[in-house]
Amino acid sequence: MASLKDMRVRIASTKATQKITKAMQMVAASKLRRAQNAAEAARPYAEKMDTVISNIASAAAGSPNASPLLVGTGKDQVHLLLVCTGERGLSGAFNSAIVRLARDKALALMNQGKEVKFFCVGRKGYEQLRRTFEKQIVETVELRSVRQLGFVNAEAIAKKVLARFEAGEFDVCTLFYSRFRSVIAQIPTAQQIIPLEVGAAAASDGPAPSYEYEPEEDEILTRLLPRNLAVQVFRALLENNASFYGAQMTAMDNATRNAGEMIRKQTLIYNRTRQAMITKELIEIISGAEAV
């Protein structure tokens, strides 16, 4: 059995840990509101961009000059998985849920005889994926030094992806991130961004109105599609950021509660042990007095 000194040290250590987790919870809560507002503000723009491109793409359907970003390369052999995770841990299952979704997708594609490559955005995703797919990771981007995410960060990532696509390194690109729903609910999401899937956006708006475009649809799409790629990556980064702080806030709250429960149990054991030792000493004193 541990000594009273060891028990006191253990209780003090648990209390110190509880203070740390409580502080981290408060920091995550303070950062969550700004991250949530940024993610929610980006959604309408990204969704409207999808709608506009869907309308233009439907008008340009069948054009021999259609952009490969819209119609693809004509092949479905090489897949690039763009996996966006956090730079830090202590956020529950946030990072592992995204990685699990990407890993399942990769294994399913490999079972079909497809070639899979990984583009990792975020240190935690890279650390988990390299255990199994180290040779298939073609590029990594860390945003740990970025204090506030901006469109320029997403644009830089999109340019790297576009450069690889134009070099013929892959046929299909799928984006993985966590969509923020609430503090306790973050949804791992997979979204194909090359070639762009436009059917769902077009269908959700009902019959598409008829427009006349100037310049031609193909020329408009040539300009819009690369920007849309950056917009979708930016949206994913903002959603991830909000999801991370939501998951971290929940995880630290649970850790604080667990530490409180441990302190209660440890204090109870300490008091019982101390009482037993005092009782034992009293019995010894009384026994010694009676013997005299």
Side-chain angles (χ1 to χ4, degrees), residues 143 146-156 230 233-234 237-238:
L143 301 174
V146 178
R147 299 191 62 180
Q148 184 172 354
L149 289 170
F151 185 73
V152 63
N153 304 117
E155 196 171 31
V233 173
F234 185 45
L237 293 179
L238 293 178

Side-chain angles (χ1 to χ4, degrees), residues 39-210:
E40 292 175 347
R43 288 175 188 171
Y45 184 85
E47 290 169 358
K48 196 62 180 178
M49 176 76 85
D50 279 342
T51 303
V52 170
I53 290 180
S54 297
N55 289 332
I56 301 175
S58 62
S63 172
N65 298 321
S67 171
L69 292 174
L70 182 64
V71 298
T73 62
K75 297 182 293 182
D76 184 31
Q77 181 59 31
V78 184
H79 287 251
L80 179 69
L81 306 188
L82 179 57
V83 184
C84 299
T85 58
E87 297 290 345
R88 298 173 178 83
L90 299 177
S91 55
F94 165 73
N95 291 307
S96 59
I98 301 172
V99 171
R100 188 182 305 113
L101 182 63
R103 185 187 293 116
D104 292 344
K105 176 70 173 179
L107 294 176
L109 289 170
M110 292 167 66
N111 288 336
Q112 297 172 16
K114 311 291 185 182
E115 182 181 352
V116 175
K117 299 178 180 181
F118 289 92
F119 188 129
C120 298
V121 179
R123 185 169 59 91
K124 286 299 178 180
Y126 169 72
E127 289 177 351
Q128 293 187 40
L129 286 170
R130 71 176 179 179
R131 300 169 189 166
T132 310
F133 305 103
E134 184 173 9
K135 294 182 179 180
Q136 292 161 265
I137 299 175
V138 296
E139 190 154 355
T140 61
V141 172
E142 289 192 8
L143 301 174
R144 193 168 190 175
S145 60
V146 178
R147 299 191 62 180
Q148 184 172 354
L149 289 170
F151 185 73
V152 63
N153 304 117
E155 196 171 31
I157 295 170
K159 285 180 179 179
K160 291 177 182 289
V161 174
L162 279 173
R164 291 185 176 277
F165 181 66
E166 291 170 355
E169 295 185 18
F170 65 89
D171 304 311
V172 180
C173 179
T174 305
L175 174 64
F176 293 85
Y177 64 98
S178 182
R179 183 179 175 88
F180 179 81
R181 175 176 288 179
S182 68
V183 175
I184 59 174
Q186 301 86 35
I187 307 170
T189 303
Q191 176 186 353
Q192 182 175 306
I193 53 177
I194 299 178
L196 186 65
E197 291 185 325
V198 297
S204 62
D205 294 330
S210 177

Side-chain angles (χ1 to χ4, degrees), residues 198-234:
V198 297
S204 62
D205 294 330
S210 177
Y211 297 104
E212 291 186 2
Y213 298 98
E214 181 66 32
E216 294 298 321
E217 292 90 345
D218 293 339
E219 186 175 345
I220 296 175
L221 286 173
T222 300
R223 298 179 183 179
L224 275 184
L225 287 171
R227 181 171 182 81
N228 177 66
L229 181 64
V231 168
Q232 299 305 324
V233 173
F234 185 45

